[in-house]
Amino acid sequence: MSEQVLVCPSDELKEGTVRVVAIGDVEIGIIRHKGACHAYRNVCPHQGGPVCDGKMMPQVEDVIDANGLFVCQNFKEDDMHIVCPWHGYEFKISTGEHAVDPNVRLKRYDITERGGNIYVTL
Ligand code: FES
């Protein structure tokens, strides 16, 4: 049976920030990105590192010209990642999938904002 747990008032989670909360013996990272909230267990599927304590950064993409030659690298601002601080695995904030292998993913929780507060469903 699922249970909704109050995390914090909505206005305490600013754009582009992460708040790690302990609910019982589970740590969950609550991320606000482009206005939406995302919730993931703070355990990296690689070796158990505190993934939600990592930095957020966009996907880096190579720019290749018409001749197939490398031009430069750009940040892809619409594909934001969180980077595990232990070994650098990157996960898409919008889905929790690893940046390269979508079969590797963070444990995701449903999250809602209601009445000026943020709730996570366990
Ligand atoms: S534990 Fe997260 S990248 Fe290794």
Side-chain angles (χ1 to χ4, degrees):
M1 187 167 148
S2 61
E3 167 192 11
Q4 284 197 335
V5 177
L6 174 64
V7 174
C8 67
S10 292
D11 61 3
E12 286 187 7
L13 189 64
K14 305 294 184 205
E15 177 63 31
T17 64
V18 181
R19 174 179 284 200
V20 176
V21 296
I23 301 174
D25 57 356
V26 177
E27 277 194 359
I28 298 175
I30 312 297
I31 303 167
R32 187 178 298 280
H33 177 60
K34 291 190 173 178
C37 292
H38 307 273
Y40 297 105
R41 188 167 188 185
N42 193 23
V43 176
C44 179
H46 178 223
Q47 291 184 356
V51 61
C52 297
D53 292 336
K55 293 196 178 304
M56 290 197 288
M57 65 175 295
Q59 168 75 34
V60 176
E61 65 179 356
D62 292 342
V63 177
I64 308 295
D65 71 14
N67 298 316
L69 299 174
F70 174 81
V71 177
C72 64
Q73 289 185 316
N74 285 337
F75 286 122
K76 198 173 171 187
E77 298 290 343
D78 62 346
D79 188 6
M80 187 64 74
H81 296 174
I82 192 158
V83 183
C84 182
W86 279 13
H87 312 102
Y89 275 37
E90 295 185 28
F91 300 90
K92 296 174 182 285
I93 286 176
S94 59
T95 63
E97 294 174 351
H98 185 268
V100 176
D101 183 353
N103 294 313
V104 177
R105 58 178 53 228
L106 303 177
K107 173 162 179 45
R108 185 178 182 86
Y109 295 91
D110 288 335
I111 190 163
T112 57
E113 289 191 85
R114 186 179 68 246
N117 292 308
I118 298 171
Y119 298 85
V120 68
T121 302
L122 301 181

